[in-house]
Amino acid sequence: MIVRDLNVENESTRRVDSDGWHSVRLLLKDDGMGFSFHITTIHAGACLKMHYKHHLEAVYCVSGSGSIDDLATGECHRIRPGVVYALDQHDRHVLRADETMTMACVFNPPV
């Protein structure tokens, strides 16, 4: 059994900081679960162009609001609490945060 506390891990090496976001990686490849699980904060005002070539990702918005643009189709989708999006085609996208967003993220294969 694996038990981790977000509040504790937020102060550990499992926290990764970057421009416009930070992520606490609660489950990683070494945990042997077949996926990784992260709580990611997208900072207010961030505009992040992203593309995962080797990972599929599902993201659930816990708090905050913003949007995601599908760069292949030009579609823009609003993000708010309760919305999930899945990058099931290694989708190139732009994520924008109107206000700070807290996101629960699952990656396969695991990070």
Side-chain angles (χ1 to χ4, degrees):
M1 180 182 298
I2 300 167
V3 178
R4 296 205 170 98
D5 182 330
L6 176 62
N7 298 304
V8 171
E9 301 306 335
N10 191 45
E11 302 298 325
S12 77
T13 59
R14 288 185 174 269
R15 178 178 166 140
V16 176
D17 291 276
S18 189
D19 291 332
W21 62 272
H22 69 268
S23 184
V24 180
R25 298 169 173 187
L26 294 171
L27 293 172
L28 291 167
K29 181 179 181 178
D30 291 346
D31 292 313
M33 295 293 296
F35 61 90
S36 59
F37 180 76
H38 313 209
I39 299 297
T40 300
T41 301
I42 309 298
H43 304 293
C47 180
L48 308 171
K49 186 174 183 179
M50 305 172 91
H51 177 224
Y52 302 114
K53 295 179 186 178
H54 306 291
H55 300 278
L56 301 177
E57 182 187 23
V59 179
Y60 176 81
C61 181
V62 176
S63 66
S65 67
S67 62
I68 185 168
D69 295 338
D70 182 332
L71 295 179
T73 67
E75 291 179 288
C76 179
H77 303 276
R78 294 296 306 158
I79 305 293
R80 64 184 180 284
V83 171
V84 66
Y85 64 86
L87 303 170
D88 62 336
Q89 301 296 313
H90 305 282
D91 311 86
R92 294 177 188 273
H93 61 286
V94 174
L95 186 61
R96 290 183 179 84
D98 299 332
E99 58 186 8
T100 298
M101 295 191 295
T102 301
M103 316 291 263
C105 310
V106 177
F107 286 88
N108 182 25
V111 174

